[in-house]
Amino acid sequence: MVNHQRIERLYGEAALHVRRRRRKKIPLGERQPLVRPRQANHVWSMDFVFDRTAEGRVIKCLTIVDDATHEAVAIVPDRAIGGLALTRILHRLGAARGLPRIIRTDNGKEFCGRAMLTWAHAHGVTLRLIEPGKPNQNAYVESFNGRPRDECLNEHWFINLDHARVLIEAWRREYNEERSKKALGGLTPIAYARQLATKTVTVKCRTLKRTATLRSCLETPLPPGEGKGVRDSAGYFLRCFSLTLALSRRERELKVGSF
């Protein structure tokens, strides 16, 4: 046994210093209102859920949820999922169903890393990071994570990773295709997504027709007998100005969509 005071004295005489651990720099996320989108495949929320197989090895499950339809876009179990593996998963999903405009995540290193930031910039996807320690700002996926945890992960004893993949994917398909939700009007997530797609196409068709009508009105020349007086000219230009405002509003609706 050595006296701790002697150790401190020798440590000081040798001019040794304990290396101080630097605090991890986390990018500050702006608080965004949690508004439910009106269009499917517009905003995704992502998070991780953990479990273990029979031999005690960790399973890391990436969960992705569509905020508009509550659809489980993907549940990907693996031993480890880093930044590069995450971008490869998103690339496969984008090829199969298209990429969203916005992805909401927490401040995990997989979501804040260089690989994820580079991929999002290259594909035009906006990353929304919630504030540290505020999981309620990512409420859609946080609420969803309890269901696979209680109904699948806790109910099965996975022999290996392949066994876990089969059972988790079967549960995901059942959740999307057979589980009706009160928040979706008694429809399943898949059926609600189809209903939203039909509504979006109808709204865009109506907006295109109204835009074409407004353009034809603006391109109509002034009748020969009008425009001679100041009062007629002012009325004509007021009509053109109101039609221009309505046209710009319709074009903005088409560009933004129904979000």
Side-chain angles (χ1 to χ4, degrees):
M1 297 293 293
V2 182
N3 194 330
H4 69 89
Q5 295 179 350
R6 182 180 181 185
I7 294 177
E8 292 177 359
R9 178 174 57 81
L10 295 175
Y11 207 84
E13 291 176 357
L16 300 176
H17 298 282
V18 178
R19 184 178 179 181
R20 294 183 178 180
R21 297 182 61 182
R22 294 186 177 181
R23 189 174 183 179
K24 180 181 178 182
K25 293 183 179 180
I26 299 176
L28 296 177
E30 297 182 1
R31 184 173 183 178
Q32 301 287 342
L34 194 62
V35 180
R36 181 177 171 184
R38 299 179 182 176
Q39 184 178 354
N41 214 40
H42 192 101
V43 181
W44 289 357
S45 297
M46 300 195 303
D47 200 5
F48 288 108
V49 178
F50 295 88
D51 200 12
R52 292 183 180 272
T53 53
E55 66 268 24
R57 299 182 62 186
V58 175
I59 300 178
K60 188 176 185 179
C61 300
L62 172 67
T63 57
I64 306 176
V65 177
D66 190 313
D67 288 7
T69 63
H70 297 181
E71 178 187 359
V73 178
I75 304 178
V76 184
D78 210 334
R79 294 298 182 188
I81 301 177
L84 290 175
L86 179 60
T87 58
R88 288 194 290 268
I89 293 171
L90 292 174
H91 184 74
R92 291 197 299 268
L93 291 174
R97 57 178 292 157
L99 292 172
R101 296 182 183 179
I102 300 170
I103 295 179
R104 183 184 291 108
T105 65
D106 57 17
N107 295 274
K109 60 181 181 180
E110 301 88 356
F111 304 131
C112 302
R114 184 178 300 176
M116 186 63 183
L117 296 176
T118 304
W119 176 88
H121 178 74
H123 291 81
V125 177
T126 303
L127 296 180
R128 285 187 180 174
L129 303 179
I130 65 174
E131 294 178 312
K134 299 291 182 65
N136 57 318
Q137 296 180 9
N138 202 11
Y140 288 113
V141 71
E142 293 289 345
S143 175
F144 169 79
N145 285 342
R147 290 181 172 85
R149 164 69 64 191
D150 296 336
E151 301 174 7
C152 184
L153 301 183
N154 292 346
E155 293 294 326
H156 295 92
W157 190 57
F158 302 122
I159 301 174
N160 49 40
L161 183 60
D162 292 334
H163 185 216
R165 285 173 175 166
V166 171
L167 293 180
I168 291 174
E169 179 61 20
W171 181 89
R172 186 188 73 86
R173 290 181 177 274
E174 178 191 354
Y175 175 83
N176 288 335
E177 300 172 3
E178 300 179 12
R179 298 282 190 89
S180 59
K181 297 176 67 68
K182 186 177 180 180
L184 304 180
L187 299 176
T188 62
I190 291 292
Y192 187 74
R194 292 171 184 165
Q195 186 183 66
L196 278 185
T198 305
K199 288 183 178 179
T200 302
V201 172
T202 305
V203 169
K204 286 188 176 181
C205 289
R206 290 178 180 174
T207 307
L208 284 172
K209 289 181 180 179
R210 293 173 182 172
T211 303
T213 304
L214 290 173
R215 284 188 181 279
S216 63
C217 292
L218 284 175
E219 293 172 358
T220 302
L222 187 68
E226 297 184 10
K228 296 181 180 180
V230 177
R231 182 177 301 176
D232 294 336
S233 178
Y236 175 74
F237 285 117
L238 182 61
R239 170 174 169 268
C240 289
F241 180 71
S242 61
L243 289 175
T244 304
L245 288 179
L247 179 61
S248 63
R249 191 183 308 115
R250 297 298 177 187
E251 291 178 344
R252 190 162 55 251
E253 289 177 0
L254 283 175
K255 187 178 298 183
V256 175
S258 57
F259 176 64

